Amino acid sequence: PNFKLETITFLFATILAGVFLFTVIVDKIIMGNSNNDPHIWMCSLKTFGAKYTHDIVNNYQIWRLLTSALLHQSFI
């Protein structure tokens, strides 16, 4: 009953949905993953900052701990 479009939750959810849709579009168009190959999808996620322990520990890419929250395996 008190739902407002200006809430931080709605803003954050909209940003998350937008990032997900952007990664799907890039995966299909730029990465050429028209067959939904999971190996290519993983490369797309790593490109967008997925949590990849090797890069975090060995390459000091600490930002992957934050950007991984914006990426999802599926819309649900």
Side-chain angles (χ1 to χ4, degrees):
N2 295 327
F3 180 75
K4 296 180 181 176
L5 291 177
E6 297 86 21
T7 61
I8 213 67
T9 305
F10 182 77
L11 177 66
F12 192 64
T14 304
I15 290 170
L16 290 176
V19 169
F20 171 74
L21 290 174
F22 184 69
T23 56
V24 169
I25 291 168
V26 167
D27 183 56
K28 301 283 186 211
I29 296 173
I30 295 175
M31 300 294 272
N33 191 11
S34 58
N35 297 329
N36 293 326
D37 183 6
H39 293 96
I40 297 175
W41 177 241
M42 289 302 184
C43 288
S44 297
L45 290 176
K46 187 174 181 283
T47 301
F48 276 94
K51 184 185 155 289
Y52 187 60
T53 306
H54 180 270
D55 282 345
I56 294 169
V57 173
N58 296 327
N59 298 330
Y60 306 107
Q61 296 180 358
I62 303 299
W63 53 269
R64 288 187 179 276
L65 294 172
L66 298 174
T67 57
S68 62
L70 299 174
L71 301 171
H72 302 278
Q73 199 64 6
S74 67
F75 189 71
I76 294 174

